Amino acid sequence: MDPVIIVGAGPVGLTLALALARQEVPSVVLDEGPGKDEQRLARTVVLREDTAALVERLAGFPLTDAGFRWAGWRSMRRKQVMRQITFGDDEPAPLHIPQHVLTAALREAITAERLVKVSVESRLDSIEQEKTGVTAHTRGPKGTWWRGSYLIGCDGPRSTVRKLQDIRFPGRTAVERHAVAALRTELPWPGEALLHRMPPWRTSGPSAGEVTGRPLADDVWRLDWLLPPGKDLVTPDLLVARVRETLAGWSGGSTPPYELLDTGVHTVHHRLARRWRVGRVFLAGDAAHLLGALGTQGLDEGLRDADNLAWKLALAWHHGPHEALLDSYQVERRAVVAARLRAADQALPLLRAGGLRSAMPGSARGHDALLTDGHLGHGPLGTPGVYADSPLAPPRAESSVEVDTALGAQVVDVRVTAEDGSFVRLRERLGRGALLVLLIAPGTVVWERKHWVTAGIMPRLAAAVTALPHPAELLVAESYPGAAAHTVLLIRPDGHLVTALSGVRPADLYEAAEAALGGPRATTEATAGTSS
């Protein structure tokens, strides 16, 4: 079968290529550039726990070696500390990393991957679909025709794929603008990120607003200043003045030594593609959505797009058309991003309005809490999406039980025993194309696997797992939040919970697995390429 064509060699496209390769699906990545990225320290991304784990799993090494995990977070209003957080086991630290460093790490992983071919200086200019595949043409020094099974547009906000498929991209332009500077200096709170609203050295006017400081490795900081509405130019003199007054305000009145490394202006747009699938062509990342009102969210959602789509494409690539499963990509991911955009559009006018409304008792603290949660991946502006209304959700069975993870949400990364007897983290078993069946069995951790693998309910559960309609891996955990002993969790390859059952119920487990794969396969090859 022909490889999957991925248009765009940014973090989302490279992540998708690696995720497909882990499931034995070949791909061709069309990179319109020279194969390397401009080094810009003012262009960074913040990855939350799930997306950082995804990239680390695919890249094959801890991203902490390339990025920086914050020691803590503080939010301030004028001179008052509103909230202070120390990161640890209960509150995992976000990973802050320059985007070019992240992209380079993914490119390095791909060089060792036999199933991924990267074609540089290949600019897409046409797409033709048929019932059995896609043909794409690129121009440039290596202009040629490419034949693929599916084509994924990961080619950014000005997506050629989206335009060639005549997909509308409505939304709002310039929701916010931020002046950005990357600099090397020492601040009073090493390693801690900071959100400072209405800093006292800027006492009036719409530009009094907000400054965010996010640390990187080697005493490098990214500073973002919220700009007033309008299109006023951010001149070098203005930016240097902002740097000096901010550093002085945070350092007791005198500007500490600093080295200005990079500058820029970050403009936030809110847009959402009408369709994310047209037959065998899909959109992902910035080609499908633009968000990021807090400056760093967009890539998180793009990586979740890749994670959601990869296992569905792999299943269709290996086993033939699964139209309902492929359609679920748009249904699930578009709904999650749309909800986040609505939350931002509702919250931002309130957060930025100022005036009497912001002076009401309790409102300032509530606004700061909402912003902080958004920056840290919590609350309506930051929490990873839940596929609560997914078409892949199974009907509720009599044996269904509730655990602390909602159906359709990402599972908790507990320690599990794998089939070979090794102890691993649950997230390490994701992304291989298999369903995961997790049995909660207190006490098993103190016994060697050989003593309990043939005891109690294990043989019956193992037989039920073998009989599922798709390959599945049986794992055992000592505990799981909110789960009683002998609870059985069914988990998708991308780590979202399908169902939780009380005990071994083979028929209920089979029905849930079948639903998670898109239901009984009533479609045929003749219907492929018609979905929109």
Side-chain angles (χ1 to χ4, degrees):
M1 192 171 177
D2 294 318
V4 173
I5 299 173
I6 299 171
V7 183
V12 175
L14 297 174
T15 295
L16 179 59
L18 286 169
L20 289 171
R22 297 295 185 268
Q23 297 170 69
E24 297 298 318
V25 176
S27 64
V28 174
V29 180
L30 303 181
D31 183 358
E32 69 174 31
K36 60 194 310 184
D37 297 275
E38 182 183 6
Q39 297 189 8
R40 293 292 310 276
L41 286 173
R43 190 179 186 190
T44 65
V45 295
V46 178
L47 302 182
R48 276 66 184 185
E49 187 181 12
D50 63 306
T51 50
L54 167 66
V55 175
E56 287 183 337
R57 187 169 68 243
L58 295 174
F61 68 91
L63 280 181
T64 304
D65 296 344
F68 187 78
R69 292 193 182 274
W70 300 336
W73 171 277
R74 66 177 62 204
S75 60
M76 299 179 64
R77 185 177 177 86
R78 298 188 176 91
K79 297 181 179 181
Q80 180 182 3
V81 176
M82 307 291 288
R83 189 174 179 185
Q84 194 163 1
I85 297 170
T86 300
F87 295 121
D89 293 339
D90 295 335
E91 179 72 46
L95 178 76
H96 190 199
I97 185 170
Q99 184 161 319
H100 71 269
V101 173
L102 175 62
T103 305
L106 293 168
R107 287 188 188 276
E108 180 65 25
I110 278 179
T111 60
E113 183 49 69
R114 62 180 177 82
L115 291 176
V116 181
K117 171 183 174 63
V118 178
S119 178
V120 299
E121 297 181 333
S122 297
R123 182 184 292 271
L124 180 75
D125 62 8
S126 71
I127 299 173
E128 296 179 5
Q129 288 202 58
E130 304 167 12
K131 290 182 179 180
T132 58
V134 182
T135 302
H137 184 265
T138 55
R139 55 188 172 87
K142 298 183 180 181
T144 188
W145 291 94
W146 301 88
R147 180 67 180 175
S149 53
Y150 297 93
L151 185 145
I152 323 300
C154 304
D155 48 343
R158 297 179 176 86
S159 170
T160 300
V161 174
R162 190 183 64 240
K163 294 172 183 176
L164 289 174
Q165 296 303 300
D166 196 25
I167 298 173
R168 293 185 58 203
F169 199 38
R172 297 199 296 141
T173 300
V175 175
E176 289 185 350
R177 287 197 314 150
H178 298 259
V180 184
L183 51 92
R184 181 174 286 110
T185 190
E186 292 186 8
L187 292 177
W189 39 83
E192 290 189 12
L194 169 73
L195 168 66
H196 200 163
R197 303 190 73 204
M198 302 188 71
W201 57 87
R202 302 193 67 83
T203 57
S204 63
S207 61
E210 181 176 305
V211 57
T212 307
R214 302 180 180 93
L216 289 158
D218 300 323
D219 293 325
V220 175
W221 291 77
R222 168 176 165 170
L223 304 187
D224 290 56
W225 295 267
L226 178 65
L227 296 172
K231 298 182 179 179
D232 295 341
L233 291 177
V234 180
T235 65
D237 289 344
L238 174 63
L239 194 50
V240 169
R242 287 287 177 93
V243 168
R244 294 182 61 83
E245 70 176 6
T246 300
L247 295 183
W250 285 343
S251 303
S254 60
T255 303
Y258 70 92
E259 179 186 2
L260 190 60
L261 304 173
D262 192 19
T263 62
V265 175
H266 172 62
T267 302
V268 175
H269 307 291
H270 282 179
R271 295 189 177 277
L272 185 64
R274 292 289 192 194
R275 294 180 292 169
W276 292 27
R277 180 188 183 194
V278 178
R280 290 177 174 267
V281 175
F282 298 78
L283 300 178
D286 286 351
H289 50 77
L290 292 177
L291 71 163
L294 305 182
T296 55
Q297 287 179 340
L299 182 57
D300 251 356
E301 293 298 355
L303 295 175
R304 290 172 185 142
D305 294 344
D307 199 23
N308 184 289
L309 183 57
W311 71 274
K312 298 173 181 179
L313 280 176
L315 196 150
W317 195 90
H318 285 295
H319 303 291
H322 280 64
E323 295 304 302
L325 184 65
L326 294 176
D327 281 342
S328 73
Y329 165 68
Q330 171 177 308
V331 176
E332 291 180 342
R333 291 300 307 148
R334 192 177 187 279
V336 164
V337 175
R340 177 157 293 178
L341 283 171
R342 284 194 300 271
D345 285 342
Q346 291 167 2
L348 287 180
L350 181 66
L351 294 171
R352 308 305 191 204
L356 284 175
R357 184 179 297 177
S358 65
M360 294 175 65
S363 63
R365 189 171 297 276
H367 295 176
D368 288 325
L370 182 61
L371 279 171
T372 292
D373 283 345
H375 278 287
L376 300 183
H378 307 303
L381 296 180
T383 301
V386 175
Y387 305 141
D389 299 320
S390 169
L392 306 183
R396 183 174 178 82
E398 288 187 9
S399 62
S400 297
V401 294
E402 294 184 357
V403 296
D404 287 355
T405 300
L407 297 181
Q410 295 171 347
V411 292
V412 178
D413 188 27
V414 297
R415 191 175 81 148
V416 300
T417 304
E419 291 181 344
D420 62 1
S422 62
F423 294 111
V424 296
R425 305 301 301 184
L426 179 54
R427 282 204 176 108
E428 293 178 25
R429 314 310 288 184
L430 300 177
R432 303 181 179 202
L435 296 169
L436 301 181
V437 178
L438 177 62
L439 171 67
I440 312 307
T444 51
V445 70
V446 300
W447 300 96
E448 289 187 43
R449 183 177 182 273
K450 64 182 180 181
H451 294 305
W452 50 259
V453 71
T454 58
I457 64 174
M458 280 297 294
R460 187 163 177 245
L461 179 56
V465 170
T466 301
L468 291 178
H470 187 71
E473 181 179 8
L474 177 56
L475 305 169
V476 178
E478 176 80 4
S479 64
Y480 188 91
H486 296 170
T487 298
V488 175
L489 307 183
L490 179 64
I491 303 166
R492 300 181 351 173
D494 59 354
H496 288 259
L497 180 63
V498 178
T499 191
L501 304 174
S502 176
V504 181
R505 307 296 178 94
D508 292 346
L509 188 62
Y510 189 98
E511 183 180 31
E514 190 175 55
L517 301 173
R521 289 182 57 197
T523 56
T524 65
E525 184 68 35
T527 64
T530 62
S531 174
S532 60

